[in-house]
Amino acid sequence: MTIADTQLKMQSAPQSARDIGDAWSKMVAKRRLYTGIGLVVLLVAFVSSVRFADENNAGHFFDRLPHLFDFLSWLIPKDWSDVYRALFDLASPNGANGAGGEEFNFPLGRIYVWGDFYIPEYFELMIITINVALVSTIIGFVFAVPLSFFAARNMSPSNPVRLVTKRIMEFLRAFPEIVIAGLFSAILSIGPIAAIIAVGLHTIGALGKLFYEVVENIDMKPDEGMRAVGASWTERARFAALPQVLPNFMSYALLRLEINVRASTIIGAVGGGGIGEELKLSISRGFGAKTLALVLLLFLTIIAVDQFSAWLRRRLVGEHAFLLQH
């Protein structure tokens, strides 16, 4: 029984307050019963799926679950100042024999630039990761802008061109970046180049879809004016459509830059270079202070990129666009 049924029943025949209260209580009890049954079904489905995956050697979830706190025990360092030392490649007195060892021998990671001036190894790796994200975002933006005009229903030169362009963009974003990176790593060997190509191709497909949806919502009156004076397709796209969509294009591109920083980190863990590769090695070797230092650096970088892109979007799109969203 729904609320509408209850209201209809109340309107069709006069009832006492006790009858109305009883009907309401029955409806609430029935809803609670259905909710409980649904939660039990979801719980059984979740446990069954995890057990099925576990029995098929997909991670041994239940076998490894008691060891979760073992991971936390080695991750938390005995001396929290080692996290600071690891972040800036400073020597640590901790470790075996009081001399450091590989886990605490941080000065090995220094990149000397001039005399005694050095860049900590992790900062250099983070710069590589940001460079991969930045270059792949620029590549994606440059190719996605013209493709979006070919794919937009209101601006495409012809239907075959529109359909082919859409299929190309769907193909480019159909595969995760890590899969494309693995393919190009086999061809070009592991490194940032394979990561740039992988993230760049996926960005073309993803941004292209967002861009052509923006183009399809533009005001067509400027385009009609350009048609009336005999403008070519390129001139219509450049002078009638592009000025309307460029702020939104930039907003989506900056959002994509944040996503690409995270994607570049993940690809780094499988040989794409940058901070991801070092993070994977640190976790696999059980270096708690180094792992926390890398996670902290990655977290601060994501916050910095997010704040910078938000500031740039406000400058490009305008403060009023943000006020309208709240």
Side-chain angles (χ1 to χ4, degrees):
M1 181 182 292
T2 63
I3 295 176
D5 295 335
T6 305
Q7 291 176 342
L8 182 62
K9 194 173 181 180
M10 291 167 59
Q11 293 173 358
S12 60
Q15 292 180 318
S16 66
R18 175 174 295 178
D19 293 336
I20 296 174
D22 291 342
W24 180 264
S25 298
K26 289 179 180 177
M27 185 187 70
V28 172
K30 188 178 291 183
R31 285 194 170 188
R32 288 176 178 171
L33 176 64
Y34 290 161
T35 302
I37 293 174
L39 290 175
V40 171
V41 170
L42 285 176
L43 181 62
V44 171
F46 172 74
V47 174
S48 301
S49 62
V50 172
R51 284 193 175 278
F52 176 79
D54 190 58
E55 291 171 358
N56 286 274
N57 195 24
H60 300 289
F61 177 79
F62 289 106
D63 293 339
R64 300 301 302 172
L65 191 58
H67 299 282
L68 174 62
F69 293 102
D70 296 346
F71 171 78
L72 296 177
S73 65
W74 73 256
L75 181 63
I76 298 175
K78 297 178 182 177
D79 186 354
W80 282 95
S81 60
D82 281 335
V83 178
Y84 170 80
R85 296 191 184 100
L87 191 60
F88 292 98
D89 291 333
L90 301 175
S92 172
N94 298 314
N97 303 321
E102 189 177 3
E103 182 179 358
F104 298 100
N105 198 5
F106 303 131
L108 287 178
R110 294 177 176 179
I111 308 297
Y112 285 92
V113 179
W114 182 265
D116 294 333
F117 178 74
Y118 70 91
I119 298 175
E121 180 188 28
Y122 297 156
F123 285 78
E124 187 200 33
L125 295 174
M126 196 70 242
I127 292 172
I128 293 174
T129 299
I130 294 174
N131 277 339
V132 170
L134 186 61
V135 173
S136 58
T137 304
I138 293 173
I139 291 174
F141 183 83
V142 169
F143 284 93
V145 169
L147 288 177
S148 65
F149 287 101
F150 288 118
R153 186 179 297 275
N154 55 343
M155 290 298 298
S156 181
S158 65
N159 280 334
V161 171
R162 179 172 62 85
L163 294 176
V164 169
T165 306
K166 281 189 173 182
R167 299 295 86 80
I168 291 173
M169 290 191 291
E170 289 168 357
F171 178 78
L172 291 177
R173 67 173 182 272
F175 304 97
E177 296 96 330
I178 196 167
V179 175
I180 305 175
L183 173 65
F184 281 95
S185 295
I187 300 172
L188 303 172
S189 78
I190 59 175
I193 299 299
I196 290 173
I197 295 174
V199 180
L201 289 177
H202 195 274
T203 302
I204 293 172
L207 281 184
K209 174 180 173 53
L210 295 173
F211 285 0
Y212 82 71
E213 290 177 350
V214 173
V215 174
E216 288 180 343
N217 292 322
I218 64 171
D219 183 1
M220 294 303 291
K221 290 180 181 177
D223 183 72
E224 292 172 3
M226 295 292 291
R227 282 175 182 267
V229 296
S232 64
W233 181 87
T234 306
E235 291 170 335
R236 288 165 43 214
R238 166 65 182 86
F239 297 105
L242 190 61
Q244 298 185 59
V245 298
L246 196 55
N248 285 335
F249 279 11
M250 293 302 300
S251 182
Y252 281 130
L254 291 170
L255 175 62
R256 187 66 200 186
L257 175 62
E258 299 174 28
I259 297 172
N260 284 348
V261 171
R262 289 185 283 270
S264 303
T265 304
I266 295 171
I267 291 177
V270 295
I275 200 75
E277 187 174 3
E278 191 67 23
L279 181 61
K280 179 188 175 185
L281 289 174
S282 181
I283 293 175
S284 63
R285 293 174 180 175
F287 295 163
K290 287 186 175 181
T291 301
L292 286 178
L294 290 169
V295 171
L296 177 63
L297 180 60
L298 183 61
F299 179 63
L300 294 177
T301 303
I302 293 296
I303 292 177
V305 172
D306 177 68
Q307 293 300 313
F308 173 73
S309 60
W311 172 80
L312 197 55
R313 280 203 301 272
R314 289 176 187 275
R315 299 284 294 179
L316 294 171
V317 181
E319 191 73 25
H320 67 283
F322 290 83
L323 295 176
L324 291 174
Q325 296 175 2
H326 299 286

